[in-house]
Amino acid sequence: MSSLFATGHAVDIVLAVMLVEMIILIKRRGHAATIILAFLPGALILLAVRAALTGAGWQWVALALAASFPAHLADLRRRGL
């Protein structure tokens, strides 16, 4: 089980489940851009976690986290919050 996290595959599984969920929502509801924008901040944070778990440089962790913030703000703006 520890190798699942050490290799980052635990995050890969979560990202795959999110991708399947996103595809299902797009097929059922349409509005692909809206749904992708809702999932993007979480996916970017998960990529930061994966980078940290696998020992990537701090720059990759920081880049993914920094990219998640404007994506989050864009989603909030789209929702009118």
Side-chain angles (χ1 to χ4, degrees):
M1 188 67 142
S2 64
S3 68
L4 189 65
F5 286 90
T7 60
H9 292 314
V11 174
D12 295 340
I13 292 167
V14 174
L15 285 170
V17 170
M18 285 178 65
L19 180 63
V20 170
E21 181 183 7
M22 195 170 62
I23 290 169
I24 290 169
L25 286 172
I26 290 170
K27 286 187 179 219
R28 286 188 181 173
R29 298 185 184 174
H31 305 101
T34 299
I35 293 170
I36 291 169
L37 190 56
F39 277 81
L40 186 59
L44 288 167
I45 290 171
L46 283 170
L47 289 175
V49 170
R50 187 183 196 291
L53 286 173
T54 59
W58 66 267
Q59 300 90 339
W60 292 108
V61 177
L63 179 66
L65 286 175
S68 72
F69 184 61
H72 177 63
L73 291 178
D75 182 40
L76 288 176
R77 183 173 187 167
R78 181 198 53 80
R79 294 174 192 242
L81 301 175

